[in-house]
Every structure is written in C-alpha cells, then in structure tokens.
Amino acid sequence: MSSRMGGSIASIGTLAKVLSREHTVEVWTSDHDSEYLDPAVSSVCTVRMFRLASKPFFLAPGLLPALISEGRKFDAFNVFHFWTFTGLVAGLILPFQQAPSFIHTQGIFLPVALRHHRRRKQVARLLGAARLLSRFTAVIACNPVEVPAIRKWGSPKTIHVLRNPVIPVPAERGGLRGRLGLSEDVRVVAYLNRFDPIKRVVELCQAFRVVQDRCQDTVFVLAGDAATPYGREVQAYAARSGLRARFLGHLGLRDKWSLLADADVLCQYSAQEAHSNALTEALSAGVPVVASRGCNFDEIGTEGAGFNVDSVEEMANATIRLLEDDGLRGRMSAQALQLARNYTPEAAAKTYLRIYNECRSPGIPAVGDAAPVHPESRS
C-alpha cells in the first residue's frame, strides 16, 4: 500500500516483483504519479488505483471501505508513506486484521526528511502519530542508520532492516551514446535521481565544473524530472557556468539502464539518504560510484566500489581520479558488481520471509526459510 507511485516507486515495485515470484501480490495506490508505474509491476501483480480527492494529504476515500471489506484476504500488509492518508488509515485499520502489518520507513524519520513539511509532522506527532506508528506489527527500515532515528521518534516496535533490492535490466553499451551523438571516446559522468534541494544537485554541478576543466573529453548526463523549481535552478547554473550537461528528464526503465550501461562514473551528493536506489542500480551495472557521506552508503568506499566524499572539492577530485585512471575504474567496476550481490532479489526475498515468519500470528504457517532474522542490525 502506498499513497502514490512517485517517491518510493522503485522500492515498492521491486519488492512487489520479488515477492510475486512465489506469492500473489496486490499493489494498492492512488492515481497520483500513476504514469511512473513500471509496466513490469502490472504484468506480475494486481495494481489497484484509488482516485485521489485531495493531493496535500493524498486523500483517497475509496481506500478505507476496500481495506475494511477485503483486508482479511491478505497474509501480510506492507505500507509506505506514513505521513499521508494511506499510512494513517493503515495504522488505524490494520491492527484489527489477523495478518502482520509492516511500515516501510524508507528514511522518513531521518532529520533532513523530518524538516520537510516540518509543521505538519509536528502537529501529527502532537495528535498521536507516534502511537499510531506503534500499531503496526513491526517497522522495516532500509538502512541501519534509520534505526536510532525511528527509536528517537517514539516507536517501541521491533525494527528490521531490509535493503532495497535491485533487478538489473540488460543493456548494451553505446545505445544512449548513439542517441546523444557521443562517441566512445567521450567520458560520461551520470546523475540519476530527483531534482530536489536535498539532493544538492547545484553543488554537484559545481564539482562537475571543476572536473570539466581537468577532463576536457567529459559530458555530464543528468536524468530525472528537472521541470521543478529546483530543477530549473540547476539548469540555469549549468547554462551560466558553461557546463557540458545533458538533461534527459525522467527516464523509463530501459532508458535508465541504457544510461548506466554507457556511464563511466555515477555521482550523487545528497545531504541525506536512507538507501538510494540509484546507487545500488549503478553498482549492479558495474558503474563506479562517487557518493557523499550523507548518502549513508559507506560500503561503496570500504568495498572498493568507489569513493565516499565530504565536500564538493572531494567529489571533484574523486571523479577526476576515476576518469583519468582506466585501471582504477576497471577495478572499482568489478568491485561494484561484487557489492551488488548483497542487493539481489533472492537476498531480499529471503530476508523478507524471515521477517514475516517471525511476525506472523500464532496458527499461521511459516513460509520458506523460518530462521529468525536479527532485528535492528544489517540484513
């Protein structure tokens, strides 16, 4: 269940595809951002679209009676977007169902996320949102860094960690280069994410400008919906600074993996992330990554799949190192593929089923591997 298909769409869709290999899955969401729904999800799951009546709170009136009348047919509920109508209704209704209910936090209680719509969330807390959060059977975080933040907000329930899985799509190198008119000699530095101030894309482009002065044969390809106020700010900076940037807009599934097939390096300079799907997708494509410390993905540096950086200067220097050293880039590409094995569908399914088996109600049979998962630790 999700209030929309934007935001956590990759996490929702991938989990649905993973579970649908052995189980029947339904995705309930509103019709907001429905154009971003991965067609592959619809091909393996039943997708229910509820009409959105009020965008600020993602009010979908039809969801409530459907949940009351049909809730008993499900063996588990997975809820995304706690701060909206969907999350609040789920917190009220699901405890009366026999099946376990999980709230997937996806970083929503990290400090930077709490500052977004701060007043609304403060009011929600005063009105008892913390108690509502505790009505779910358990919390599923996507990164161990979330655990203390969830505890601080007030949830006493068990917190499990389930890393977002990745399902790679095969793509041949050269496809996107051909469409963009770029030769094989041109180095491609990619950004693949939203255009939002939390992503600090202007600062990232400042690093790119330094890289451009040193690596003349480099083009910077930025993918994501840039038709937002912040996206226009990024484009204005790129034009003003003379950055050789290509803005591709939102990419469909195959175009996204085509970009990764042609990318030499992927960079991300977010202020804070719980678990960036763009980074795990890059690793799965064998693309070395340069990521800010705020991305909370230290394994990139410790496992030799790229660099973790703390400043615009470090971002620029690390990117230059990768572009100028083919051997280093090749070794980090191999390590990226090795690290990506931690985020396979099989690993995610095994962890999820362990969580389910631990949380299921008495009398409900276990599914798959019933070994206990260790909560509040890495999966």
Side-chain angles (χ1 to χ4, degrees):
M1 295 172 60
S2 170
S3 58
R4 56 185 291 198
M5 287 310 298
S8 299
I9 177 174
S11 306
I12 299 166
T14 305
L15 179 61
K17 286 187 281 188
V18 166
L19 296 178
S20 68
R21 294 180 174 185
E22 300 290 340
H23 309 280
T24 300
V25 177
E26 288 194 17
V27 175
W28 288 19
T29 184
S30 77
D31 55 5
H32 181 64
D33 286 342
S34 58
E35 67 272 20
Y36 294 140
L37 176 65
D38 177 2
V41 175
S42 299
S43 68
V44 296
C45 310
T46 298
V47 179
R48 293 273 298 273
M49 292 282 184
F50 294 89
R51 188 178 65 82
L52 195 68
S54 173
K55 183 177 178 181
F57 295 96
F58 295 96
L59 179 63
L63 178 67
L64 181 57
L67 189 58
I68 293 173
S69 63
E70 301 180 45
R72 293 188 180 278
K73 73 179 183 181
F74 295 108
D75 297 301
F77 298 91
N78 297 274
V79 181
F80 295 75
H81 302 105
F82 175 68
W83 300 113
T84 60
F85 175 79
T86 302
L88 299 179
V89 165
L92 288 170
I93 301 299
L94 294 185
F96 296 103
Q97 305 292 341
Q98 186 180 24
S101 59
F102 306 113
I103 179 73
H104 293 249
T105 52
Q106 297 287 310
I108 60 176
F109 295 109
L110 292 176
V112 172
L114 286 176
R115 288 199 291 271
H116 188 58
H117 298 309
R118 173 184 284 181
R119 291 183 182 276
R120 186 185 302 175
K121 292 170 183 176
Q122 288 174 337
V123 170
R125 186 167 191 172
L126 290 173
L127 293 176
R131 290 194 297 274
L132 200 61
L133 180 65
S134 69
R135 290 169 64 85
F136 289 92
T137 307
V139 179
I140 296 182
C142 62
N143 192 320
V145 74
E146 290 189 79
V147 174
I150 297 168
R151 284 281 175 251
K152 184 177 180 180
W153 207 82
S155 174
K157 290 301 182 75
T158 301
I159 304 173
H160 301 274
V161 177
L162 173 63
R163 292 287 203 172
N164 293 340
V166 176
I167 302 177
V169 175
E172 294 291 332
R173 186 173 176 87
L176 185 72
R177 287 174 181 268
R179 293 198 293 275
L180 296 179
L182 303 176
S183 69
E184 186 61 33
D185 295 333
V186 173
R187 299 299 187 193
V188 173
V189 176
Y191 169 79
L192 178 62
N193 216 306
R194 293 185 297 123
F195 283 80
D196 184 276
I198 196 174
K199 306 298 182 181
R200 300 193 300 192
V201 191
V202 170
E203 290 89 339
L204 180 63
C205 287
Q206 291 171 355
F208 286 170
R209 192 63 188 80
V210 175
V211 175
Q212 179 172 295
D213 288 340
R214 179 75 171 265
C215 305
Q216 298 293 324
D217 60 346
T218 303
V219 169
F220 305 91
V221 179
L222 295 90
D225 183 6
T228 62
Y230 185 70
R232 290 190 287 272
E233 181 182 338
V234 174
Q235 293 180 80
Y237 171 81
R240 191 168 61 249
S241 65
L243 183 68
R244 289 191 297 273
R246 303 288 185 90
F247 293 88
L248 303 186
H250 175 75
L251 296 182
L253 186 65
R254 294 200 173 278
D255 285 341
K256 175 177 66 176
W257 287 94
S258 182
L259 168 60
L260 291 173
D262 277 329
D264 296 289
V265 182
L266 183 131
C267 298
Q268 189 166 321
Y269 193 63
S270 299
Q272 193 167 57
E273 297 276 358
H275 185 101
S276 172
N277 291 311
L279 299 185
T280 49
E281 288 166 349
L283 296 174
S284 296
V287 181
V289 170
V290 184
S292 62
R293 198 76 59 184
C295 289
N296 290 308
F297 210 143
D298 290 346
E299 298 96 319
I300 288 170
T302 58
E303 299 298 323
F307 297 100
N308 300 111
V309 299
D310 293 301
S311 66
V312 169
E313 181 182 10
E314 290 183 8
M315 172 66 70
N317 291 339
T319 306
I320 290 169
R321 280 189 64 188
L322 280 164
L323 293 175
E324 291 186 337
D325 190 333
D326 292 347
L328 175 64
R329 197 169 62 253
R331 291 191 297 275
M332 287 193 163
S333 174
Q335 288 303 113
L337 291 170
Q338 182 71 24
L339 179 56
R341 293 181 179 180
N342 294 333
Y343 310 103
T344 63
E346 292 75 20
K350 184 176 181 179
T351 299
Y352 179 84
L353 292 177
R354 284 176 173 174
I355 295 171
Y356 170 83
N357 286 327
E358 182 175 302
C359 296
R360 73 190 192 281
S361 300
I364 295 179
V367 177
D369 187 352
V373 65
H374 300 289
E376 306 196 25
S377 65
R378 287 186 191 274
S379 59

